[in-house]
Amino acid sequence: MMKKQMGWQFDNSYLTLSPTFYKKVTLNEVPEPKLIALNYLLADELGLDTEALYEEEAIHMFAGNAFPEGAAQIAQAYAGHQFGHFNMLGDGRALLVGEHVIGEERVDIQLKGAGRTPFSRGGDGRASLAPMLRELIISEAMHALGIPTTRSLAVVTTGDAVYRETALEGAILTRVAASHLRVGTFQYAAAFAGVEEVRELADYAISRHYPHVATADNPYIAFFEEVMERQAELIAKWQLVGFVHGVMNTDNMTISGETIDYGPCAFINAYDPDSVFSSIDHEGRYRYSNQPFIGGWNLARLAESLLPLFAEDEDEAITIAKQLIGRYEDYYEAYWISGMREKLGLISDEPDDLALAERLLTIMAQYKADFTQTFRALSENVRPVNAFFTSEEFRVWEQQWHARLARQETMLDDMQAMMQSVNPAVIPRNHLVEEALTAAQQHDFTKLEELMAACANPYDVLPEHMHYTEPPADDEPYVTYCGT
Ligand code: AMP
Ligand code: MG
């Protein structure tokens, strides 16, 4: 047990759930933990003693070698549909250290890559440095873009090698999340425990994330609607920045509405709605254009798990579930078009706005326009000389857009300021992430720090970060990997 507390305030409500929901874990110590990255701004937000986090005691905690008082040390049980196939899963390489309490809020502190757990199956429970730094870069960039996400507090190396195709340096990421409740946690309760456990879990999720629904006529229906709305909003936000999650399995969809599990994710450069980056997604199940649909598919799995709580009579429960799920698309489209209106500087609502936005995307796809740069150029009223901006199709669209803008009473300057506040100039572009990770694997962290600094202010580029706004010289096919 540690002497200094570094500001941690643990209180583990998860341990009040039935033991079926978790397994206690004792980790093997790692030999030589070394702090690679500390997100001190996040540490500060969490009310932690930032300086103490650079010291050995803290580093041993980030490595899973020692734990502050009150820490839980558990692996959570969950199941999930992976590429459509149902499996028992659970934290196979993650350890929940506990819930850190800051005033009225509580967040999960989890070590990813900390070692084997009872759910590790054939895996080693470990992670290597580059993928953990990749999660750090992208999750923090998502946060800066205003997209709900788990956060990354620290990355340490372990002093051990992990064996993938080659020997790699082992690393552990400290992940911070509103919670790690997933659609798959409910699927686990429904498939492997029982109705009472589903109810117990739902009550827990409600008290933790949606306490206001507790007094609804049927809190479980209201709870489902909340999760559905948060997911619709989240996926709309992904679409609006060209983010491809890559592995939208039901175990990777949170109940809180945060983006989780940065494995094979990537941002689109040249716009192609069929973009898929993951090496194993051969069918394109999780391609960009299919993400909204998969969101609904996953929510249907959540509804199935909650069925007995919707109504006692099964037919009635199914009718309710179908009605609920039937509204998902409307939620999603409402969030998407409202986000798209902001991107295009449209303050009022006109029925043809959807067609205007869709037409723009069609032309962007036709000319392989860079997703981020195109919207940013429209916001800054600049026109890069490229196939898209010089096309006849764009010229015609621009006339329609200008006519549409002229029908609202906003000053051009205000409109452009609004557009610039929602259309990022900087995203963690694939080639830049790769460049930073290649250097980081040689323990040169300058590129990584610079990239993270640029991504921390995506709407407001400093002169020294201008080169981060450029699309890659040639947008070569990019391949990403799961579970590395
Ligand atoms: P993911 O693809 O990261 O969502 O992981 C899917 C499942 O595989 C989860 O149950 C993980 O805990 C498990 N898993 C991934 N990598 C490993 C590993 N190296 N060792 C043990 N389990 C793992
Ligand atoms: Mg996962």
Side-chain angles (χ1 to χ4, degrees), residues 39 42 135-144 151-152 452:
N39 187 343
L42 175 59
E135 175 155 346
L136 167 74
I137 298 169
I138 301 183
S139 64
E140 289 306 304
M142 293 287 273
H143 174 71
R151 306 285 305 274
S152 301
M452 287 193 69

Side-chain angles (χ1 to χ4, degrees), residues 78 89 112 175 182 247 251-252 260-261:
Y78 55 85
L89 300 166
K112 183 170 175 180
R175 177 156 77 180
R182 309 145 189 269
V247 61
D251 57 299
N252 295 335
I260 195 170
D261 220 319

Side-chain angles (χ1 to χ4, degrees), residues 57 141 197 203 273 291 297 352 370:
E57 274 191 288
E197 283 80 2
D203 288 338
Q291 295 190 125
W297 194 91
D352 288 344
D370 183 83

Side-chain angles (χ1 to χ4, degrees), residues 35-62:
L35 185 66
I36 298 294
L38 179 73
N39 187 343
Y40 52 86
L41 290 177
L42 175 59
D44 201 49
E45 276 176 49
L46 295 175
L48 300 173
D49 176 354
T50 310
E51 267 171 44
L53 294 185
Y54 287 96
E55 287 172 17
E56 209 174 309
E57 274 191 288
I59 297 167
H60 277 288
M61 172 189 158
F62 293 140

Side-chain angles (χ1 to χ4, degrees), residues 34-298:
K34 222 178 116 211
L35 185 66
I36 298 294
L38 179 73
N39 187 343
Y40 52 86
L41 290 177
L42 175 59
D44 201 49
E45 276 176 49
L46 295 175
L48 300 173
D49 176 354
T50 310
E51 267 171 44
L53 294 185
Y54 287 96
E55 287 172 17
E56 209 174 309
E57 274 191 288
I59 297 167
H60 277 288
M61 172 189 158
F62 293 140
N65 283 355
F67 295 92
E69 221 172 284
Q73 299 185 60
I74 59 174
Q76 291 176 312
Y78 55 85
H81 277 89
Q82 298 180 299
F83 291 91
H85 303 284
F86 188 65
N87 292 311
M88 176 59 206
L89 300 166
D91 286 335
R93 60 155 172 179
L95 178 92
L96 184 66
V97 179
E99 297 149 34
H100 170 61
V101 179
I102 328 113
E104 298 287 291
E105 309 228 338
R106 69 177 58 218
V107 289
D108 276 8
I109 304 295
Q110 194 202 59
L111 303 180
K112 183 170 175 180
R116 287 183 54 80
T117 78
F119 302 115
S120 295
R121 294 169 288 166
D124 60 2
R126 297 282 176 202
S128 63
L129 180 58
M132 295 305 98
L133 291 176
R134 195 166 188 278
E135 175 155 346
L136 167 74
I137 298 169
I138 301 183
S139 64
E140 289 306 304
M142 293 287 273
H143 174 71
L145 288 165
I147 301 176
T149 176
T150 63
R151 306 285 305 274
S152 301
L153 179 62
V155 174
V156 296
T157 47
T158 60
D160 259 339
V162 299
Y163 299 92
R164 299 293 181 255
E165 267 157 30
T166 55
L168 298 165
E169 202 171 0
I172 298 171
L173 171 87
T174 302
R175 177 156 77 180
V176 181
S179 84
H180 286 84
L181 294 175
R182 309 145 189 269
V183 168
T185 320
F186 282 87
Q187 291 182 290
Y188 166 77
F192 300 110
V195 182
E196 278 325 300
E197 283 80 2
V198 176
R199 187 186 304 278
E200 186 190 354
L201 186 65
D203 288 338
Y204 177 78
I206 288 169
S207 75
R208 196 151 169 192
H209 297 298
Y210 306 105
H212 60 280
V213 309
T215 51
D217 283 348
N218 181 327
Y220 308 109
I221 293 176
F223 164 66
F224 179 80
E225 284 180 305
E226 284 288 342
V227 178
M228 181 165 76
E229 188 166 352
R230 292 286 75 80
Q231 283 297 335
E233 184 178 19
L234 178 68
I235 296 170
K237 287 189 174 195
W238 292 353
Q239 300 304 98
L240 292 165
V241 295
F243 175 77
V244 182
H245 181 284
V247 61
M248 289 177 72
N249 297 332
T250 54
D251 57 299
N252 295 335
M253 181 184 262
T254 59
I255 296 304
S256 66
E258 288 181 341
T259 310
I260 195 170
D261 220 319
Y262 292 89
C265 61
F267 282 80
I268 294 177
N269 289 313
Y271 180 57
D272 171 2
D274 293 328
S275 293
V276 38
F277 301 101
S278 170
S279 65
I280 58 170
D281 192 0
H282 306 298
E283 314 272 307
R285 179 181 172 89
Y286 299 141
R287 67 187 181 277
Y288 173 80
S289 58
N290 212 35
Q291 295 190 125
F293 169 81
I294 291 292
W297 194 91
N298 289 351

